[in-house]
Amino acid sequence: MATKWSYMDHWVTETPQGPLPPSFNRTYMDRYVKQLSALGFQGFDTFFFYLPMLQGMYGSVPAFEHFLQDNGFEKITGIFSAYPYATKHTAPHVRETHDRIVADCEYTLRGIEGLAGVENFIVMPSSTDWQTEPVTDDKIKIMADLWNRVGRITLEHGLKTTCHFEFWGAIRTRPQLELFFEHTDPEYVYFFCDTAQHTIAGVDPVQMFRDYKDRCTGFHFKDTKNVDTTGMYRTAPDPELMAPDVERWFYPMGEGGLVDFPSLMKEIVASGYDGWLTVEHDKAELGGGTYAEATCLAKWYIDNVLAEAQREAEAAL
Amino acid sequence: MDHWRSNSPSGPIDQWRSRRTMTRFLRQVAAVGFDAIDTFDFRYWQILEQYGSVANYQEFVQEQGLERIVNTFHGVYYEPDRYAPEVPETHATIVEDFKVTMDRWSGIQLDNVIVMPGSRFYDDHGPTDDQLKHAADVWAKVGEVTQQYGVNLTCHHEHYAGIRNRRQIDTFYAYADPRYVKFFVDTAQHCIADVDPVDVYEAHHERVTGFHFKDTRNKDVNEDYKLFPDAEVSAVTTEKWFYEMGTAEGLVDFERMMRSVRDHGYEGWISVEHDKADKLGGDYAESTAISRWYAKNVLDGIYAGAGA
Amino acid sequence: MKDTLRWSYAINAWNLRMDVFVRHEEQQRALKTLSVLGFDHVELASGMGGRWENLGTPEIILINHGSAEGLLAFLRRAGISGVSSWCWDPGQPAEETGYAFLMTRNPADHDAIVEAAKPFVDLLAAAGGDQLVVRPAGSAWMAPPLGDGDAGIVGSLWNRVGEVAAAAGVGVSLHYDCLQPFHTEEQLVSLLDATDPALVGLALDTAELTIGGIDPVAFYDAHHGRVAHVQLKDTRFQDAGQEYLTPGAEATMLKGGAGRRIERWFYELGTEGGLVDVEAFVASLRAHGYGGWVVVEGDKGGNATEVAMLNSWFLQRRLGVEKV
């Protein structure tokens, strides 16, 4: 099988105003795309809130996609949307806010009209655990109802609503994940496997893929060096950056982390999955790294270590 | 102590890039409340090129609000065939080198010329007693030269250097003439080598003429000091050895150090050093400000409490 | 700073982007830096809200520190004794307010803006702060040219917020920035004239005025009675004409995305080629007996620590202000 790799957009680069995202201006964005292109990425995932900036820099979001295509990309593959911090306006576990969230999603869908074919509408299905507590079965079912609604709408636009679970979100343990998938319609709600997030939450991402491969529409390949064993997921207001004992949760592949990427790759090959595989670097600059270097090392890992795992798995088919 | 790096449009640079970058560096050091700077004597050629003379450079330093240049660090790559304190055949060269060096810096009044007193030893044994004696001898001769200029010759012991552990340090100073060979305490370097910086200071305080106050989070427990070419950059388990004072998990007890400095009546300069502060996402400017905050808020009060 | 003027520093210089400057250790390092540079008060700034605005929005500050007293205790750990002021842009969509896009030129939004201001006023007052520094109106390029009634509409809103703030013991000052629509000296004065001097003042930003083509020294001399707050920074550039009207001017103008491609506008005091006569401006403050806060800013200037150190150097060595 020919694997297709996309890149999830967290990039930060040096500017005269300090280290900032390449949306700083068009020149920086062009350089960023060229760097990804040089490494051979073919897909580009981004956040919903970058869409207006892309429109501003390139005239329209499709014009940005054309620029990607001029640089060897196939297309924009995924759009990420989320409500990490629950408010009275938007909170997936609060049914009264669902109309607003659905309206937001419809707005985002209008923002990507004219693109070649975005495949994934990636969502965080919940807000932070600490704001959702107590996390009851009923709340998980309410969240399932929301994404069933959203999933039906996005599918009409050709996108699958696919759920990306944070270690600090309200759907994080294996029983919670199972209950959520039980109450979501497999036709409308899919699974997006973030290897690091599940590992931190004490969930085996390889086993998750094995069990939900029929609903899996994508991956964030990133690593971690810590499992949260002390309840840091409950840190308010934000466990991702403020956990008391862990300054940095996420690492690139191949730096001695806990995720068994070769095993995952073999499972992917064995399953016949033919969708996109995505590299994500979140906070790669912590501890003195750079996004450019982390991305090169990730692609080296893909082309060497994962390619070997893929060959072995294909030989075993 | 001059190890600064900052970002520029062409990547990380040191302050010697231009007079403009030097101005920014000196103003930042002055702004947080330091009174003077130290430098390396290999900067001599850049000083000539950019400022014309050492005296001119010091004037430039003063224009930015600092008093003067206090110490210069004389770093040499030691080779037994050519230049090594443990090898008597090379001593004439070493003494000659310092005659030239002192002449170069004679346009200003330094307190100390700082040296690494021993060569590297990559084996278990380190220098023999005889070799320590030879080293002590040559530094006494050099000290005689520097004192003609009113400058102390003072020894700084790297954690990976030949004179690193407590026995070696004590033996070296037992041989070294206290009139001419002084001691420069680097809190982090001693700590990494498992030498208590306060204890070693108290044992030799009469000949101490300066300090590098910096911290570390790691002792060398893997014999990193044997690594070639340089344990400071090639240690396997410790990517960054040095941190600013006040760092979390720091191993140096600066409060105890300061009490001891006070109680022994030390009135010379104390230098703050940041060595490789930019590793692992660090920043020289920030480390400089944080260490001055620590000195002002924690150490100054201890020192001012003399006799209390 | 030991001075007859009250000096503060804007902490937003460290909050470069949404996912940095979140951990308390990072914030302590910035606060210690400011402390050792001689500053003992800070100015806060709001942003997009949400879980990472730990020194930006009232709700998140209270989650972090419990109360105004908790916030002050956090500042005091580093030697910072208080909050001088808080910058707030009601037109900046924030998570807590459902990303509402509120416009001060739209009277229908005024009730919501007054409500949104209250948590800022309350926490600022409880923390002993002096000024709520507000963006009077959204960027000029985003709306039609000012009409005859706009100054009155916008002024009436800020009078209402000023009343709420005054009741809590806090002042409101309108911050001039080079993109907002009350751009010329005449327009700016028309806005000030539409407000009650007892409730609303001007936050004079030396670099922003200079970029906008207004000489801050001359303006202060002429209007010092209305200046309730000062932000001090330098710039090397002026708007060449109507660059502020370029669509997306926040990026196209101020990040060099178009036109002259100037990628950095704001600089430390005393920068080479700086257009602000800082010494003359501060002398004018002294001459007129200015009693408000003077907030030194280093935002959008690269390495926040380096810029803060250079700003402190300028205060000590060029303005003769002694450190605390």
Side-chain angles (χ1 to χ4, degrees):
Chain A
M1 95 187 193
T3 51
K4 300 185 294 186
W5 286 92
S6 65
Y7 190 80
M8 177 66 201
D9 177 16
H10 283 270
W11 196 273
V12 170
T13 189
E14 281 298 327
T15 78
Q17 296 188 22
L20 293 172
S23 55
F24 183 72
N25 71 35
R26 166 77 189 256
T27 303
Y28 288 75
M29 198 71 198
D30 285 0
R31 286 164 51 93
Y32 166 43
V33 168
K34 288 173 184 173
Q35 289 171 77
L36 295 179
S37 166
L39 289 171
F41 286 98
Q42 294 171 288
F44 186 84
D45 283 20
T46 192
F47 290 98
F48 75 101
F49 53 75
Y50 277 134
L51 295 173
M53 296 183 216
L54 294 171
Q55 185 185 1
M57 285 185 283
Y58 292 86
S60 69
V61 180
F64 170 67
E65 191 174 57
H66 294 151
F67 182 76
L68 286 172
Q69 289 163 343
D70 288 345
N71 282 283
F73 283 81
E74 189 177 315
K75 61 184 180 178
I76 295 176
T77 38
I79 300 293
F80 198 107
S81 181
Y83 298 92
Y85 184 72
T87 69
K88 65 180 179 183
H89 305 281
T90 52
H93 64 285
V94 178
R95 200 179 293 281
E96 292 70 28
T97 70
H98 285 188
D99 286 350
R100 160 68 190 265
I101 293 174
V102 169
D104 285 353
C105 292
E106 288 172 330
Y107 181 83
T108 299
L109 289 170
R110 287 197 292 278
I112 57 173
E113 279 172 5
L115 292 180
V118 183
E119 298 184 17
N120 283 321
F121 188 77
I122 310 160
V123 298
M124 289 185 197
S126 78
S127 299
T128 56
D129 177 276
W130 69 270
Q131 287 177 298
T132 313
E133 288 180 6
V135 180
T136 61
D137 289 1
D138 278 349
K139 285 181 184 169
I140 291 176
K141 288 173 193 167
I142 290 169
M143 291 186 264
D145 288 346
L146 167 66
W147 301 115
N148 280 333
R149 264 181 83 182
V150 171
R152 182 192 294 265
I153 295 165
T154 63
L155 208 55
E156 288 167 8
H157 291 75
L159 284 82
K160 288 177 175 165
T161 291
T162 183
C163 296
H164 175 283
F165 301 89
E166 267 50 38
F167 78 89
W168 43 263
I171 305 171
R172 46 183 304 284
T173 67
R174 185 68 205 227
Q176 289 168 338
L177 291 161
E178 287 170 9
L179 185 66
F180 177 77
F181 279 119
E182 194 182 308
H183 287 276
T184 46
D185 188 332
E187 194 181 338
Y188 298 128
V189 178
Y190 294 84
F191 169 49
F192 197 94
C193 183
D194 184 304
T195 51
Q197 299 277 9
H198 287 305
T199 301
I200 296 167
V203 171
D204 178 359
V206 182
Q207 190 61 45
M208 270 303 287
F209 173 68
R210 228 176 258 137
D211 295 341
Y212 290 96
K213 59 178 179 284
D214 293 341
R215 295 175 74 170
C216 185
T217 66
F219 301 83
H220 279 164
F221 276 69
K222 66 176 190 273
D223 213 342
T224 183
K225 297 182 180 178
N226 298 85
V227 176
D228 176 9
T229 57
T230 57
M232 284 184 278
Y233 69 90
R234 303 181 68 204
T235 308
D238 171 54
E240 198 176 338
L241 295 179
M242 293 184 66
D245 302 327
V246 179
E247 276 184 47
R248 176 180 178 178
W249 288 105
F250 305 122
Y251 289 85
M253 294 182 284
E255 290 194 3
L258 299 173
V259 177
D260 185 351
F261 291 106
S263 288
L264 178 62
M265 196 66 196
K266 288 174 185 172
E267 284 291 337
I268 289 170
V269 172
S271 75
Y273 174 86
D274 62 355
W276 290 89
L277 307 173
T278 304
V279 169
E280 184 182 46
H281 296 129
D282 199 351
K283 329 270 182 308
E285 80 286 4
L286 290 179
T290 69
Y291 277 86
E293 184 186 65
T295 309
C296 289
L297 294 178
K299 196 60 170 55
W300 182 93
Y301 189 86
I302 290 166
D303 292 349
N304 291 275
V305 182
L306 295 187
E308 179 60 28
Q310 185 181 344
R311 277 192 293 275
E312 284 177 24
E314 285 169 348
L317 287 178
Chain B
M1 179 65 197
D2 166 10
H3 286 274
W4 194 269
R5 296 285 184 283
S6 60
N7 273 333
S8 80
S10 52
I13 55 166
D14 67 32
Q15 71 274 33
W16 295 90
R17 167 65 67 95
S18 67
R19 288 167 68 101
R20 183 183 292 161
T21 55
M22 180 61 77
T23 303
R24 289 173 65 88
F25 159 70
L26 294 169
R27 289 182 177 185
Q28 290 173 69
V29 171
V32 295
F34 289 103
D35 299 308
I37 58 160
D38 293 2
T39 189
F40 288 98
D41 78 351
F42 64 77
R43 297 295 189 187
Y44 177 73
W45 301 106
Q46 276 165 300
I47 288 172
L48 285 196
E49 186 180 301
Q50 293 178 5
Y51 305 92
S53 71
V54 172
N56 283 357
Y57 174 57
Q58 177 160 279
E59 206 174 301
F60 187 83
V61 168
Q62 289 164 338
E63 283 168 7
Q64 312 310 326
L66 294 159
E67 283 180 32
R68 65 186 181 95
I69 301 163
V70 174
N71 304 312
T72 191
F73 198 109
H74 188 77
V76 175
Y77 189 76
Y78 296 146
E79 286 180 287
D81 295 345
R82 190 184 63 83
Y83 194 120
E86 300 80 4
V87 182
E89 291 73 19
T90 69
H91 285 183
T93 305
I94 295 174
V95 174
E96 194 54 37
D97 173 38
F98 275 85
K99 287 179 182 167
V100 173
T101 298
M102 296 317 295
D103 183 57
R104 284 177 181 166
W105 289 85
S106 61
I108 61 170
Q109 182 58 55
L110 293 167
D111 283 21
N112 293 299
V113 171
I114 309 167
V115 298
M116 295 188 275
S119 304
R120 297 288 311 278
F121 284 81
Y122 301 101
D123 57 22
D124 287 329
H125 307 298
T128 64
D129 273 17
D130 275 352
Q131 287 173 316
L132 290 173
K133 187 168 187 312
H134 294 319
D137 287 347
V138 73
W139 295 123
K141 287 178 193 162
V142 171
E144 272 192 82
V145 172
T146 64
Q147 287 204 0
Q148 289 167 21
Y149 293 85
V151 179
N152 288 312
L153 184 286
T154 189
C155 300
H156 178 278
H157 302 265
E158 271 67 19
H159 70 89
Y160 56 85
I163 307 174
R164 49 181 298 282
N165 63 34
R166 183 61 194 267
R167 187 193 63 76
Q168 292 161 342
I169 291 170
D170 289 348
T171 306
F172 171 74
Y173 286 113
Y175 289 132
D177 186 334
R179 291 174 300 168
Y180 302 122
V181 182
K182 307 297 181 184
F183 179 25
F184 198 94
V185 175
D186 185 307
T187 52
Q189 297 280 9
H190 291 307
C191 203
I192 294 168
D194 202 24
V195 172
D196 185 301
V198 182
D199 289 350
V200 77
Y201 166 66
E202 291 185 343
H204 300 284
H205 69 91
E206 286 176 353
R207 60 162 97 205
V208 168
T209 61
F211 296 86
H212 278 164
F213 270 29
K214 64 177 188 271
D215 211 342
T216 183
R217 296 177 180 174
N218 300 89
K219 288 189 179 185
D220 175 4
V221 293
N222 301 320
E223 300 188 326
D224 286 331
Y225 69 89
K226 294 180 183 173
L227 291 171
F228 186 85
D230 184 344
E232 279 193 10
V233 292
S234 48
V236 177
T237 56
T238 305
E239 200 174 345
K240 176 173 176 168
W241 286 104
F242 305 120
Y243 293 83
E244 77 276 352
M245 293 186 288
T247 189
E249 302 165 44
L251 298 179
V252 176
D253 185 344
F254 284 103
E255 295 184 37
R256 182 169 156 249
M257 186 83 234
M258 203 62 182
R259 282 194 294 275
S260 184
V261 167
R262 174 196 66 194
D263 293 345
H264 287 96
Y266 178 81
E267 290 183 343
W269 290 88
I270 294 174
S271 305
V272 164
E273 185 181 45
H274 304 303
D275 196 352
K276 307 174 185 65
D278 52 345
K279 279 195 162 192
L280 303 182
D283 178 73
Y284 274 91
E286 190 186 59
S287 284
T288 302
I290 297 294
S291 58
R292 190 69 192 90
W293 184 94
Y294 186 84
K296 182 181 176 187
N297 288 276
V298 180
L299 301 184
D300 286 359
I302 293 172
Y303 195 80
Chain C
M1 296 290 177
K2 289 180 199 160
D3 194 24
T4 49
L5 291 171
R6 295 190 290 167
W7 295 92
S8 173
Y9 204 93
I11 196 78
N12 65 334
W14 278 266
N15 199 8
L16 283 174
R17 54 181 202 273
M18 67 179 178
D19 58 355
V20 297
F21 203 54
V22 176
R23 288 185 78 84
H24 288 186
E25 305 95 278
E26 287 177 79
Q27 295 168 352
Q28 282 290 314
R29 290 175 76 83
L31 294 166
K32 284 180 177 177
T33 296
L34 292 177
S35 167
V36 79
L37 287 170
F39 296 96
D40 66 354
H41 277 69
V42 290
E43 178 171 273
L44 306 179
S46 70
M48 290 182 65
R51 64 200 162 124
W52 290 333
E53 287 284 354
N54 282 351
L55 287 175
T57 50
E59 184 173 326
I60 307 296
I61 289 175
L62 292 173
I63 291 170
N64 275 274
H65 301 294
S67 63
E69 193 45 50
L71 170 65
L72 291 172
F74 177 72
L75 300 178
R76 287 184 195 124
R77 269 171 51 196
I80 298 291
S81 53
V83 175
S84 60
S85 40
W86 202 338
C87 292
W88 175 55
D89 175 6
Q92 163 73 58
E95 199 160 0
E96 290 86 334
T97 48
Y99 295 111
F101 199 73
L102 301 171
M103 290 188 288
T104 61
R105 289 168 65 183
N106 178 9
D109 285 347
H110 284 194
D111 287 350
I113 293 172
V114 173
E115 277 307 305
K118 286 177 180 171
F120 287 91
V121 167
D122 291 344
L123 188 54
L124 184 60
D130 184 60
Q131 290 290 319
L132 181 65
V133 181
V134 299
R135 191 176 198 212
S139 294
W141 68 270
M142 298 178 85
L146 290 178
D148 288 343
D150 274 315
I153 290 168
V154 174
S156 72
L157 164 69
W158 294 119
N159 282 339
R160 285 181 62 192
V161 176
E163 277 178 28
V164 171
V170 169
V172 169
S173 47
L174 310 182
H175 178 259
Y176 179 95
D177 72 71
C178 65
L179 300 187
Q180 56 81 39
F182 298 96
H183 186 78
T184 66
E185 182 160 352
E186 187 185 0
Q187 289 166 332
L188 177 59
V189 171
S190 77
L191 175 61
L192 290 174
D193 287 346
T195 59
D196 180 347
L199 299 172
V200 178
L202 174 68
L204 190 160
D205 184 314
T206 51
E208 299 273 8
L209 274 185
T210 301
I211 294 170
I214 301 173
D215 175 356
V217 182
F219 188 89
Y220 180 71
D221 281 339
H223 302 281
H224 57 88
R226 293 302 309 271
V227 174
H229 193 72
V230 166
Q231 290 183 341
L232 206 57
K233 58 180 186 268
D234 208 344
T235 180
R236 295 181 183 174
F237 305 101
Q238 255 191 327
D239 189 324
Q242 297 201 323
E243 287 173 286
Y244 75 108
L245 294 176
T246 314
E250 288 80 0
T252 49
M253 176 181 168
L254 294 183
K255 293 178 181 170
R260 291 186 290 161
R261 310 272 179 188
I262 298 167
E263 294 186 339
R264 176 179 170 187
W265 288 75
F266 300 114
Y267 286 84
E268 66 276 3
L269 307 176
T271 189
E272 223 176 274
L275 300 178
V276 176
D277 188 343
V278 180
E279 280 130 316
F281 180 76
V282 171
S284 185
L285 290 178
R286 295 187 192 284
H288 291 291
Y290 174 73
W293 285 95
V294 185
V295 181
V296 183
E297 273 199 298
D299 63 324
K300 302 182 181 69
N303 185 318
T305 310
E306 289 186 11
V307 172
M309 292 162 91
L310 293 169
N311 279 329
S312 172
W313 184 91
F314 190 88
L315 262 62
Q316 294 175 59
R317 300 280 162 182
R318 292 289 179 266
L319 299 179
V321 178
E322 218 181 308
K323 284 201 294 187
V324 176

